[in-house]
Amino acid sequence: MERIMVIGVSAGVGKSTFARRLGEHLNIEVYYLDTFYWRPGWVEAPLEDFISAQKEVVSHDKWIMEGNYSHSFNLRSELADTIIYLELPLRVCLYRVIKRWLSNLGKTRPDMAKGCNEKLDWQFIKFIISTYFPRKKEMKIKLADLQKSDPEKVIVILKSKPDIEGYLLSMKG
């Protein structure tokens, strides 16, 4: 495990926390896609810059990249030797998003671009609710297709908090 993608069913599933902890256990640098995608004030980076930043990272021997961003999924998945997918219930994801917002009011999280203070609005909540089940279905197919096309690729699916904790414990060096 040297080139690792951490993806999940939704915001709030714990991708950033998981990736940070995994990076600490494996001593591999973690890159958060949100830091490439967003500019200060929640302005989207040009797609070309976003892709270019990821190409720079995947050129390294070792990396952990956290985030979904479907328009660059293939760039990362083709070069990753391990894909870790987190899938917790929708209610847990929503609870965590609200908790994260309350914990970080007026601050920028370490896994977010500078100048993007934590925010939560109805549009984001709606996005989480409306994409959760379609993404769950889509990821099952996408991961199965990846496994078929590259049987050597390690795909790890973690669907509960005990599974996630157990996996991280098994990675401690």
Side-chain angles (χ1 to χ4, degrees):
M1 276 180 51
E2 296 184 328
R3 295 176 316 280
I4 305 160
M5 268 177 79
V6 176
I7 57 176
V9 68
S10 172
V13 76
K15 297 180 299 292
S16 299
T17 301
F18 179 89
R20 178 184 47 76
R21 291 176 65 197
L22 184 64
E24 289 167 2
H25 294 330
L26 299 175
N27 197 28
I28 297 176
E29 189 165 352
V30 178
Y31 301 89
Y32 302 96
L33 293 184
D34 281 340
T35 64
F36 299 151
Y37 190 78
W38 295 107
R39 300 274 166 88
W42 293 97
V43 174
E44 292 177 32
L47 186 57
E48 185 179 290
D49 293 356
F50 179 59
I51 299 293
S52 175
Q54 290 175 72
K55 284 182 177 176
E56 175 9 50
V57 171
V58 297
S59 73
H60 301 166
D61 291 336
K62 295 182 178 190
W63 46 264
I64 296 174
M65 251 195 280
E66 173 275 332
N68 289 340
Y69 292 97
S70 57
H71 47 283
S72 63
F73 182 90
N74 291 342
L75 166 68
R76 290 171 280 131
S77 66
E78 286 169 10
L79 296 165
D81 56 42
T82 306
I83 298 173
I84 300 171
Y85 171 68
L86 307 179
E87 184 183 286
L88 295 177
L90 176 60
R91 69 183 182 284
V92 173
C93 296
L94 288 169
Y95 168 78
R96 286 179 171 185
V97 164
I98 293 166
K99 182 180 168 193
R100 178 175 73 193
W101 171 66
L102 291 170
S103 302
N104 292 290
L105 277 174
K107 295 184 268 183
T108 300
R109 298 188 325 261
D111 57 311
M112 186 51 71
K114 292 192 184 340
C116 292
N117 285 353
E118 189 65 28
K119 68 176 188 169
L120 182 63
D121 54 24
W122 177 243
Q123 186 179 347
F124 189 50
I125 296 285
K126 225 166 63 176
F127 170 79
I128 293 168
I129 293 168
S130 66
T131 59
Y132 180 89
F133 293 104
R135 182 175 286 152
K136 188 174 169 176
K137 197 178 193 178
E138 174 192 330
M139 289 311 300
K140 188 176 185 176
I141 295 165
K142 201 177 255 192
L143 294 173
D145 289 348
L146 266 173
Q147 193 70 81
K148 257 188 251 166
S149 68
D150 186 356
E152 299 294 307
K153 197 172 297 289
V154 175
I155 297 177
V156 178
I157 299 171
L158 303 171
K159 290 189 173 191
S160 71
K161 289 188 257 185
D163 285 353
I164 291 168
E165 286 305 316
Y167 187 83
L168 285 168
L169 275 174
S170 76
M171 290 295 125
K172 272 193 171 175

